[in-house]
Amino acid sequence: ALGYVDPLPVNDLSPAKVRLMKYVSEWSLVKNMLGMCLFLPYNPNTTVDIIQAVTGWDTSAFDIMKAGERGMAMARAFNAREGFTVKDDYMPDRFFESFSDGPLEGVGHKRHVFRSALETYYGISGWDPDLAAPTRGKYQELGLDWVVEDLERYDAVSG
């Protein structure tokens, strides 16, 4: 689903993993917005079928994915308005510790690799790398012009 056939390594932070994480996050957000159980393995096609059956809307996986992207953009707009920036996008120190046992014993993430993955995420998402939020153009592409108007009052939008 979502264009991925082969699994990616668990400790991978490559652009492919970042892209997959973006897609999965947006689908999870859609399921959350719809009140669907996050623990059931609904794939995108099943999700579309459920939405069509319940609402009668003629929608597509693309439309639903964009809804998730809009939801994420609005959450980030709120954060930008409240003064959150890239400095607030971090993982706790525990994330960077190596595993002490199990199949990943000795494996851990490096801070510079995480930071690079985060920059990749911002880039593929159309986000400003300093604000850690969508650019004016991304909000407009998502049909969120009214959000741009609000953020301009707070000097919390770029592009």
Side-chain angles (χ1 to χ4, degrees), residues 27-155:
W27 275 106
S28 294
L29 184 57
V30 164
K31 291 191 319 188
N32 190 34
M33 291 187 303
L34 293 170
M36 295 175 74
C37 179
L38 297 177
F39 298 108
L40 294 176
Y42 297 116
N43 67 42
N45 294 330
T46 303
T47 303
V48 169
D49 290 344
I50 291 170
I51 292 169
Q52 288 176 341
V54 171
T55 66
W57 296 339
D58 182 22
T59 192
S60 68
F62 178 82
D63 294 334
I64 301 308
M65 192 136 189
K66 283 299 180 183
E69 192 174 9
R70 276 192 302 279
M72 183 67 74
M74 291 174 63
R76 284 300 175 134
F78 175 87
N79 286 354
R81 188 190 71 192
E82 298 304 310
F84 290 87
T85 66
V86 67
K87 71 177 175 22
D88 300 297
D89 268 353
Y90 63 90
M91 296 298 288
D93 291 338
R94 178 89 170 107
F95 182 79
F96 303 102
E97 294 175 10
S98 297
F99 288 91
S100 59
D101 59 13
L104 294 177
E105 183 175 0
V107 175
H109 292 294
K110 306 290 184 234
R111 289 180 193 276
H112 72 279
V113 174
F114 173 76
R115 183 55 52 190
S116 177
L118 193 58
E119 290 169 5
T120 299
Y121 183 88
Y122 295 157
I124 66 175
S125 298
W127 291 9
D128 178 281
D130 295 320
L131 290 175
T135 63
R136 177 185 320 275
K138 180 47 102 170
Y139 286 121
Q140 292 167 337
E141 183 248 323
L142 295 171
L144 298 173
D145 297 349
W146 62 274
V147 172
V148 172
E149 292 173 18
D150 184 55
L151 293 176
E152 285 174 339
R153 291 194 299 246
Y154 297 93
D155 195 30

Side-chain angles (χ1 to χ4, degrees), residues 1-6 19-20 23-24 27 41-46 61 65:
L2 303 175
Y4 288 85
V5 178
D6 297 323
R19 187 173 57 247
L20 177 60
Y23 296 162
V24 169
W27 275 106
Y42 297 116
N43 67 42
N45 294 330
T46 303
M65 192 136 189

